[in-house]
Amino acid sequence: MWEAVVSCNQIYDGKFFYAVKTTGIFCRPSCKSKTPNHKNICFFETATEAMNQGFRPCKRCKPDLQVDIFDPHLEIVEQTKNYLEHHYQEKIMLHTLALKIGISQYYLNRIFKEKTGFTPHMYLENIRIEKARGLLLSTAYSSTEICFQVGYNNFSSFYRQFKKLSGCSPNQYRTKKEWKDFNCETNKK
């Protein structure tokens, strides 16, 4: 167990927990906090046992959550996605988004891309275009009106991004009736 703590081995998460007597905090074996002195730790089979002995959960690895493996980066990604999905109509700059999430813009961009394959900006563009597609199919709004409703400041940016992600123009997308059989690529000719 000591070796698992020293190496921050994620395989042992959920199998045991360790507590540091000098700090009063307990952690998962994979916790990236500073390795404690061996003589200051004790081991527990469950988080409940550690809490019953008066130890409080680590804020970094959150051992009190009922998951075997906790990835703090996933929390950052979920907060970012949630914010973008609820504020897609607004002008969102990376530094503003990073301030809302509470981390540096470099770290946010790196973690988000590592976990999703997209930068926050690319994810935002996908949300906006998906919303635009829905409006094109369900409303009589013009492409220009939809452009501004989904958060674009000018039509040319909207048109370029829509065509890039959909393979066709907004009007071509709207005029097709059978979307299941429609492939925008065939309309590029």
Side-chain angles (χ1 to χ4, degrees):
M1 287 192 286
W2 173 246
E3 287 177 19
V5 170
V6 171
S7 63
C8 302
N9 195 332
Q10 199 172 34
I11 293 170
Y12 294 98
D13 282 0
K15 294 182 173 55
F16 73 89
F17 300 87
Y18 74 93
V20 183
K21 298 172 192 171
T22 53
T23 63
I25 296 173
F26 75 98
C27 298
R28 298 171 185 272
S30 66
C31 189
K32 302 292 186 200
S33 62
K34 183 180 173 189
T35 304
N37 190 328
H38 185 268
K39 67 180 180 182
N40 293 330
I41 67 166
C42 51
F43 296 98
F44 298 96
E45 286 185 28
T46 66
T48 305
E49 286 179 25
M51 287 189 280
N52 288 342
Q53 291 293 319
F55 293 99
R56 62 186 187 281
C58 171
K59 291 183 179 179
R60 179 180 290 206
C61 70
K62 301 190 179 184
D64 53 328
L65 294 180
Q66 299 297 317
V67 292
D68 287 340
I69 297 172
F70 175 72
D71 184 351
H73 295 151
L74 292 180
E75 193 173 324
I76 291 168
V77 169
E78 289 307 312
Q79 287 176 346
T80 304
K81 284 181 174 181
N82 189 38
Y83 186 84
L84 292 174
E85 288 164 5
H86 287 91
H87 298 273
Y88 69 91
Q89 295 169 310
E90 301 170 14
K91 181 178 181 178
I92 301 174
M93 303 300 289
L94 184 60
H95 69 274
T96 307
L97 180 59
L99 280 173
K100 294 279 185 197
I101 304 302
I103 59 175
S104 76
Q105 56 188 15
Y106 169 78
Y107 189 64
L108 173 62
N109 207 42
R110 184 173 64 85
I111 294 302
F112 197 87
K113 185 161 187 178
E114 181 182 295
K115 296 295 180 184
T116 66
F118 298 102
T119 65
H121 179 74
M122 290 163 60
Y123 189 80
L124 175 63
E125 293 293 323
N126 282 317
I127 292 170
R128 287 176 172 168
I129 297 305
E130 193 57 40
K131 298 290 184 183
R133 287 181 190 139
L135 290 171
L136 284 165
L137 296 178
S138 65
T139 69
Y141 294 132
S142 71
S143 296
T144 305
E145 290 172 312
I146 291 172
C147 156
F148 294 111
Q149 283 186 20
V150 298
Y152 285 93
N153 292 329
N154 63 63
F155 186 74
S156 63
S157 295
F158 168 69
Y159 185 88
R160 199 171 33 256
Q161 194 64 28
F162 192 95
K163 194 157 185 156
K164 178 181 174 185
L165 295 178
S166 300
C168 60
S169 71
N171 286 335
Q172 288 172 325
Y173 189 84
R174 175 179 265 166
T175 57
K176 283 298 186 181
K177 301 288 184 215
E178 297 296 326
W179 293 106
K180 291 178 186 169
D181 300 326
F182 177 62
N183 178 359
C184 290
E185 294 298 321
T186 61
N187 267 1
K188 282 186 170 181
K189 298 174 183 174

